[in-house]
């Protein structure tokens, strides 16, 4: 099983670990694309601060994020699972999983990123600010920048099993499973059951809980249909729609009564 996650806007401090080595990250065939983004991002942030804030979409209160990006090559690095914070990652709570579940997380979780493309939760990265929606002056839109290298690398990373896609739209644009991989991919929406509406906060929190439940239970669904059954056995109310055409992902709706 491969689980595709969005990153979080909020991130923990880098700490004092050994600085980043892009060549040591998982999916090494993305190294050249990572270096291209990293180089331009550092150069942008080392120059005109106001321009950098505008490009990155940062408010006045987030001015310090520009200076943080300048130090990306020398800042301490920590496992990505410790760097990413926010609602989904709080609910996932990787640190409190038992050893077996942590090993499953290391194998199956892949976090998408405007800067790194995609990383495992065990990959050591510094804290940064660069969303997939950014358009860098030289490289252009990051979603478009990542499509070709992702198309080369991700099908192999997906292996032969289930792909559980929990990414937001901006990050999903960087790689869309196709063909046989798409047929064993499941996307998930979390809906407030009484209204059938998506609400951002509990959408993210429930997705974090779903991933935690699968990791903690050791459940390894072979495909989307098996995922539906596994989630129901874990106590989730799930409505599923098999694709109308071959080579399309499944769509799963998880219904939640309480907004929390």
């Amino acid at each position: 099983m491969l689980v595709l996650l969005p990153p979080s806007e909020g991130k923990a401090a880098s700490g004092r670990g050994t600085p980043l080595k892009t060549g040591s990250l998982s999916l090494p065939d993305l190294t050249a694309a990572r270096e291209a983004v990293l180089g331009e991002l550092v150069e942008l942030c080392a120059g005109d601060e106001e321009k950098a804030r505008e490009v990155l979409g940062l408010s006045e209160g987030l001015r310090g994020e520009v200076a943080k990006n300048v130090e990306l090559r020398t800042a301490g690095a920590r496992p990505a699972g410790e760097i990413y914070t926010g609602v989904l990652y709080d609910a996932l709570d990787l640190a409190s999983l038992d050893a077996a579940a942590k090993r499953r997380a290391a194998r199956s979780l892949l976090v998408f990123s405007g800067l790194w493309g995609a990383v495992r939760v065990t990959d050591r990265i510094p804290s940064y600010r660069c969303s997939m929606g950014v358009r860098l002056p030289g490289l252009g839109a990051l979603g478009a920048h990542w499509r070709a290298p992702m198309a080369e690398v991700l099908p192999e990373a997906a292996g032969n099993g289930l792909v559980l896609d929990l990414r937001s739209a901006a990050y999903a644009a960087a790689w869309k499973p196709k063909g046989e991989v798409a047929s064993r991919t499941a996307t998930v929406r979390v809906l407030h059951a009484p209204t059938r509406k998506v609400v951002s906060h509990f959408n993210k929190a429930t997705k974090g809980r779903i991933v935690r439940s699968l990791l903690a239970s050791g459940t390894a669904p072979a495909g989307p249909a098996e995922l539906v059954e596994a989630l129901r056995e874990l106590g989730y109310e799930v409505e599923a729609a098999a694709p109308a055409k071959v080579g399309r992902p499944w769509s799963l709706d998880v219904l939640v009564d309480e907004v929390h």
Side-chain angles (χ1 to χ4, degrees):
M1 178 174 66
L2 182 68
V3 181
L4 311 180
L5 297 174
S8 58
E9 288 295 326
K11 299 174 182 70
S14 295
R16 298 182 179 180
T18 302
L20 167 76
K21 295 181 180 178
T22 55
S24 70
L25 298 176
S26 301
L27 309 177
D29 287 344
L30 296 178
T31 299
R34 287 166 174 153
E35 282 288 344
V37 180
L38 178 61
E40 185 167 348
L41 181 62
V42 170
E43 182 179 0
L44 169 71
C45 292
D48 186 325
E49 185 180 84
E50 293 306 314
K51 178 181 179 180
R53 279 208 305 125
E54 180 181 354
V55 169
L56 297 176
L58 300 177
S59 65
E60 174 67 29
L62 294 174
R63 181 180 294 273
E65 300 293 290
V66 175
K68 182 165 67 176
N69 282 347
V70 175
E71 307 297 330
L72 284 173
R73 292 191 184 276
T74 56
R78 296 167 59 187
E82 298 177 10
I83 290 289
Y84 293 116
T85 59
V87 175
L88 187 153
Y89 291 90
D90 285 347
L92 174 54
D93 196 8
L94 286 170
S96 69
L97 290 171
D98 64 30
K102 286 178 179 177
R103 288 193 293 271
R104 288 189 282 271
R107 292 192 302 267
S108 62
L109 303 188
L110 199 62
V111 184
F112 275 61
S113 163
L115 176 52
W116 316 116
V119 292
R120 303 282 186 186
V121 293
T122 51
D123 284 329
R124 299 180 65 84
I125 60 173
S127 185
Y128 68 96
R129 192 70 173 229
C130 184
S131 71
M132 190 66 79
V134 164
R135 180 182 293 272
L136 291 174
L139 291 177
L142 291 180
H145 169 76
W146 285 112
R147 282 187 200 123
M150 289 289 197
E152 292 290 326
V153 171
L154 266 294
E156 181 178 353
N160 298 314
L162 169 71
V163 178
L164 176 53
D165 190 352
L166 303 178
R167 298 172 297 167
S168 54
Y171 292 90
W175 180 62
K176 295 183 178 181
K178 295 181 179 180
E180 189 272 333
V181 179
S183 69
R184 49 188 167 84
T185 296
T187 62
V188 173
R189 295 189 307 173
V190 181
L191 303 181
H192 185 216
T195 63
R196 283 302 199 276
K197 293 182 178 180
V198 175
V199 180
S200 179
H201 177 86
F202 81 93
N203 174 57
K204 294 176 182 178
T206 303
K207 286 180 177 179
R209 294 188 191 103
I210 287 171
V211 177
R212 181 180 178 85
S213 296
L214 292 170
L215 294 173
S217 67
T219 303
E226 292 83 359
L227 173 65
V228 173
E229 294 307 312
L231 290 177
R232 287 172 177 165
E233 289 177 5
L234 290 167
Y236 294 94
E237 184 179 354
V238 182
E239 294 179 351
K245 296 182 179 180
V246 175
R248 299 283 180 86
W250 283 54
S251 298
L252 276 59
D253 286 342
V254 176
L255 306 181
V256 180
D257 288 326
E258 296 182 6
V259 179
H260 61 84

